[in-house]
Structures are given as structure tokens and as C-alpha cells.
Amino acid sequence: MKLLLLCSLLASSALSEDVVSSRRFPRNFKFGTASAAYQIEGGWDADGKGENIWDRSTHLHPEKNSYQTGDVACDSYNKWQEDVDLLVGMGVSTYRFSIAWSRVLPTGLVDSPNPSGIEYYRKLIGALRENNIEPLVTMHHWDLPTYLEDLGGFTNSDIQEWFVDYARFLFENFGDQVTEWITFNEPKQTCEHGYGTGALAPNIESPGVKDYICAHNLIIAHGKAYRLYEREFKESQGGRVTMVIDSNWFGPASESAEDIEAAERNMLFTYGWFGHPINFGDYPEVMKERIAYRSELEGFASSRLPSFTEEEKEIIAGTADFMCVNIYTSSLVRAIEEPGIVRESPSRELDLGVEVYQPDDWEPTITSWFKVVPWGARKLVKWISDTYDHPEIIVTENGYHDDGTVIHDLETRGRYHKLYLSNLQDAIYEDDVNLTGYMAWALTDDFEWQYGYNIQLGLYQVNFTDPDRPRTAKDSAAYYRQVVKTRCLLDDDQCTD
């Protein structure tokens, strides 16, 4: 606590060089942090938990995951109370976390409940509620049980019913304490890189085919789970259901009509891939047209993009009680000539048919794809607001990554959060965006998927070489705590209501 107070005093002077809004966030604005089960819990086979696709991938294909695993990770399965104490110390109003499907249902099916897993989440949720912290709960954060994956996973249409059964199980077991539900986190990553490029678990390579099938089944599963809640639980539990979609801001490389169209196409192929179906009941027209066109040229008998039936359109349309976005960086988009036809290997990239890049003079981080572009966050939430008729929006992930060795991070991570929050605040007050919350990724350092422990985004450092996994506050934690307390990005006396 002394470290937090000291760093709070240093925060404004260390971060004073950038032009930042002096307004306060609205009084009801939700500040929180976020995590995901596989990334923090550990206990991969503890107390009856079943195997998930990341357990299998890290064990059987270590080369795809930096030769590291989430077997122990932050050991939050045992240290959950300590994590709650960190949240209380920061004063946040919301904690976004996920339930590990295979921890509560080892096979993924509802005929095999695991009492120990249920009790674990009951204790966590109860402790949050006791401290007036709202649980924002994700049902699926990439960790499908391997039993279901062996049956085809998201390429099997039965996943729709498996997921609805799972959702019902969660509503029945936790709905008395949870009123904010997220069905799926970043379905683009689950599908494009899980079943397309194969970069993420379950490491299936079928670009331009199985990634679209995955997304189609996932969207319908979301819609059916939403309708289940609406029909059977909403009146008694009073909650809300949505989906989290990730996207860069994709801006035009020039003012030419061609580049402007190319950038909008990229937004529709990325955020719109999922945002359009859950709002309007169907894919963006440009997706349907381009994928059908290229499928025909490639010799396919029909479009590689599946079609929704009229019944399915009615199920999925209007199934987001609020919109969510995970935003980290931005890109520019340039129009190009139509890509050549490669019959053997279609892909979403070729279907999209644009050039995406980041200028060399944008502020870099330790990975090539991640540059610091605060103004892109404002543009992205404005695009979501304009595209989907001014919905409520929550930023469900935003954070800065380094190599995990940096404790004094005000000039990097602290500055990143400050500048992104300033631009998001401009979206609220100047663009009339109904932005109501911000979840900093992440509460603690964690297992960062294919990067293992080589990059980190936590406000608290975790010593992964110590069996006790001690947490240490970074300077950015103190700065974020100050923001949460004052709703101000500068010193309290510099801010205006």
C-alpha cells in the first residue's frame, strides 16, 4: 500500500508531457480489470477438472506456445482471495473473468458436473459481491473442453446445443450472483486462428473454410444462449448478455475513395463479421459478396461463407444487450488490385483483398504488430456507435505489453492507459459515444497464449519462478488506482467535472 501511495504522488509528474483531457469520467463509469481462466488459474487437472484444448496444445505442441504452459500460471485457483484483495485495493467496481468450461463440466457436457469447480467460482463470485465488485463473467475464453473438440468442436453444428446446455448450467448455478454475462471472448481469434491459420489451439489449419464454419456455429450458439436467458432467466435474474469482439481501428491510408472503401471493408470483415449478425441478423453484404465471388473463381460449388436461414436470422438479430470491444492497437489500410486465385489455399486475407500495415514512425513496443496508437481507440468506438445505432459500449480489454521485467512502468504502461483513456473520454464528451466502462488488461501478469510468459500486460507482476507466485504492484497499478478513485487522468485538483 505504501508503494501504491508513493507511486500515486509520482504519477502525474512522470506522465505530464502528453496532452491529456482534464475532464472527469461520468460518475457511473465502470472501471475494472480483466483476466481469463486458462491464463491465470493453473490447477489444470486439479480437483476433477477436465482437459481443455490449451492443456492439450501446450502439452503436445509446446513449440506452438513458446515451450511453456498454463499448468500453474498465476496459481489463481489457490490464490483467488489474494487477487480479490488486489482488486479491493485498487477500488475497481468491476472484475471481468472467465469460467473454465472444463473445470465445471469436465467433458463439456452437463451430465458430468464437477462440484469442486462449481464451488471455486461460487467462492470467487461471493467474495467479489461482498466487496461491491460486479462480476463480468465470460463463458468461453478460448478454452473449449477437448472432449468436445474431439467431436468436431466449433466445426460441428452440435456445438450450438452443447453451448446452450452449458449456458443454462451457468445461469442456474451462478445467475443469482451474476447479472453481466459474456458468451464468447474474441470469436475472431477462436475461429480465424484456431481453425484457420492454426496458430492458436486447437491448431487446425483450414483457412477460408473451417474458420468461417466455426464462426457461423459460434454466432448461432451465442444467439440461442441469449434467447434462452431472455426466455427463462431474465425476468427472475435481471441480467444482460453480450459478446466481446476484438478489433484494431483500421483507418484509410489516404483520402482516396479506394482507400476509404478498403478500410471500411476491413472493419466490416473484422468487427462486423460478428457485430452485424448479433445486431442485424446477417453478415455484412461486402463479406457475402466477396467470399461468394472468390469462392466461384476458386471452383467451389457454393460460397465458403455459410448462410443463415431465416429462422437463424431471427434467433441471432438483436442479441447484444450492450456492445463490447477489445482494443490494443491500430492499422492503416490501402486498396490493392484483386489478389490472384489460389485454388488450394483460400483465406480470409485473400477474401478481404486489401493491404494492412502500420507506419514505421508509429510508437513501437516489443512485438512487431503492437504499436501505441491512442487516437485509434476513439475512432474505433465512434465507428461502433455509428454502425450499430448508438449502443452502450464497454471496452472489455485494453493494455500495454512488455517483457514482464519492468516494475517502474509509468512512462510505458501507465502512459498507455492514460492516453487511451483520454481518447476514449473524448469519444464520450465530443463524439456522443455511450461508453460506460473500461476493463484494463490485465490485473496480473499471466500466460499470454502462444507467447507464453515472454510478454506481459499486468498491473501486478507475478514471479513465475517462485512456487508461491508472489504479486508485486507495478507503478502503473498506483496510477490506475488514482484514476479509479478520482475519475481523473491528471492530479485531482487539475480536473473539472
Side-chain angles (χ1 to χ4, degrees), residues 27 42 164 172 192 202 237 302 311 408 439:
R27 292 190 179 278
V164 170
E172 290 175 345
E192 182 179 18
Q237 297 182 358
S302 61
E311 179 183 6
H408 304 300
M439 306 297 117

Side-chain angles (χ1 to χ4, degrees), residues 92-277:
V92 296
S93 64
T94 307
Y95 180 45
R96 181 186 168 215
F97 66 94
S98 74
I99 289 176
W101 191 339
S102 64
R103 192 176 296 285
V104 294
L105 297 173
T107 67
L109 300 176
V110 291
D111 62 355
S112 61
N114 178 24
S116 296
I118 297 168
E119 180 61 19
Y120 167 69
Y121 293 110
R122 282 194 180 279
K123 290 188 295 186
L124 173 60
I125 292 167
L128 293 171
R129 283 293 186 190
E130 288 171 6
N131 288 283
N132 298 313
I133 299 173
E134 177 80 20
L136 177 56
V137 179
T138 306
M139 300 178 183
H140 175 269
H141 199 125
W142 301 8
D143 51 353
L144 188 70
T146 53
Y147 182 86
L148 300 184
E149 180 56 41
D150 289 341
L151 297 176
F154 282 99
T155 63
N156 183 342
S157 62
D158 287 345
I159 190 73
Q160 299 170 24
E161 303 310 321
W162 299 333
F163 185 77
V164 170
D165 289 344
Y166 169 52
R168 179 189 296 278
F169 176 87
L170 297 182
F171 298 148
E172 290 175 345
N173 280 276
F174 308 111
D176 59 333
Q177 293 274 69
V178 176
T179 57
E180 301 282 271
W181 293 101
I182 294 164
T183 54
F184 294 100
N185 174 77
E186 297 188 355
K188 175 180 175 290
Q189 305 302 323
T190 294
C191 295
E192 182 179 18
H193 297 301
Y195 294 87
T197 68
L200 303 177
N203 308 121
I204 292 171
E205 296 183 31
S206 181
V209 179
K210 288 187 177 180
D211 43 6
Y212 292 143
I213 295 171
C214 165
H216 199 74
N217 285 323
L218 185 151
I219 291 166
I220 297 171
H222 160 85
K224 288 183 175 180
Y226 182 97
R227 297 304 178 199
L228 167 69
Y229 191 82
E230 181 181 58
R231 185 174 62 249
E232 299 185 24
F233 296 94
K234 191 173 183 67
E235 183 176 354
S236 61
Q237 297 182 358
R240 305 192 297 173
V241 179
T242 191
M243 174 192 290
V244 163
I245 307 170
D246 68 300
S247 183
N248 287 10
W249 165 247
F250 295 102
S254 75
E255 296 182 0
S256 72
E258 293 80 8
D259 285 353
I260 292 172
E261 186 280 328
E264 178 68 7
R265 188 195 315 172
N266 207 323
M267 285 303 310
L268 292 170
F269 258 79
T270 307
Y271 198 94
W273 185 2
F274 301 92
H276 269 50

Side-chain angles (χ1 to χ4, degrees), residues 34 325-329 370 377 395-400 416-417 420-421 424 438-442 457:
V325 62
N326 293 351
I327 170 67
Y328 289 93
T329 188
F370 192 141
V395 172
T396 36
E397 287 184 26
N398 180 239
Y400 179 92
Y416 177 96
H417 284 293
Y420 273 70
L421 279 165
L424 291 169
Y438 177 89
M439 306 297 117
W441 186 275
L457 295 92

